[in-house]
Amino acid sequence: MGLSACQSPSPRPSASPAAVSSASTASGTTSGAVYVTGAKAGDDPCARVVSAIGYLGLSLLPAGQEEAQHWDGDVRGRFGYLRGALAMYGPHLPASAPVATVDGLAETLSRADTAGSRRTDLLRRYRKASAAVLGACGRS
């Protein structure tokens, strides 16, 4: 059983496709897809995205140690999880939040085929952009 940020107990063990579709519509996504475990219509977009940034941060080495960062499936998967949170909640964040920048960096860093020589700079850029999202959401 895996762990997931912001995961709350599901009211039922499995949901039908109709339930998933209606839940995602209620949560504000335009595509009808649910990308975040436990997403609900009343969720605060900033709280969800800040949580996903924090969840990813648990797998990252501290700032200044980007060159030593390991890029295993855990780290790449958490960048993918952040992308899901941004897909669902990014459109509802304050306009000053650089959602597209964070999403683009997370997309590249989540891929196994991204060259290691690029990752250090991309991670540093991600840190700056995600800090701007935190600031836009009133958290730093």
Side-chain angles (χ1 to χ4, degrees):
M1 177 178 197
L3 297 176
S4 177
C6 301
Q7 185 170 350
S8 55
S10 175
R12 53 188 162 239
S14 63
S16 69
V20 171
S21 177
S22 65
S24 59
T25 301
S27 66
T29 62
T30 56
S31 68
V34 174
Y35 299 105
V36 179
T37 301
K40 294 183 180 70
D43 290 347
D44 176 85
C46 273
R48 279 293 190 166
V49 172
V50 166
S51 177
I53 289 170
Y55 179 63
L56 167 59
L58 296 173
S59 292
L60 298 177
L61 293 175
Q65 296 182 27
E66 290 85 1
E67 291 183 18
Q69 180 67 51
H70 294 283
W71 294 98
D72 59 10
D74 171 65
V75 173
R76 293 190 320 270
R78 289 180 191 221
F79 273 108
Y81 181 84
L82 174 58
R83 291 199 70 218
L86 291 171
M88 290 185 72
Y89 299 105
H92 308 290
L93 292 180
S96 61
V99 173
T101 300
V102 173
D103 184 56
L105 291 164
E107 190 276 327
T108 303
L109 288 166
S110 70
R111 292 194 336 243
D113 66 347
T114 298
S117 60
R118 296 183 57 211
R119 290 189 184 273
T120 299
D121 179 59
L122 291 169
L123 180 54
R124 287 183 180 129
R125 290 174 47 203
Y126 161 77
R127 288 186 193 279
K128 288 179 186 173
S130 65
V133 169
L134 297 176
C137 284
R139 296 155 173 107
S140 33

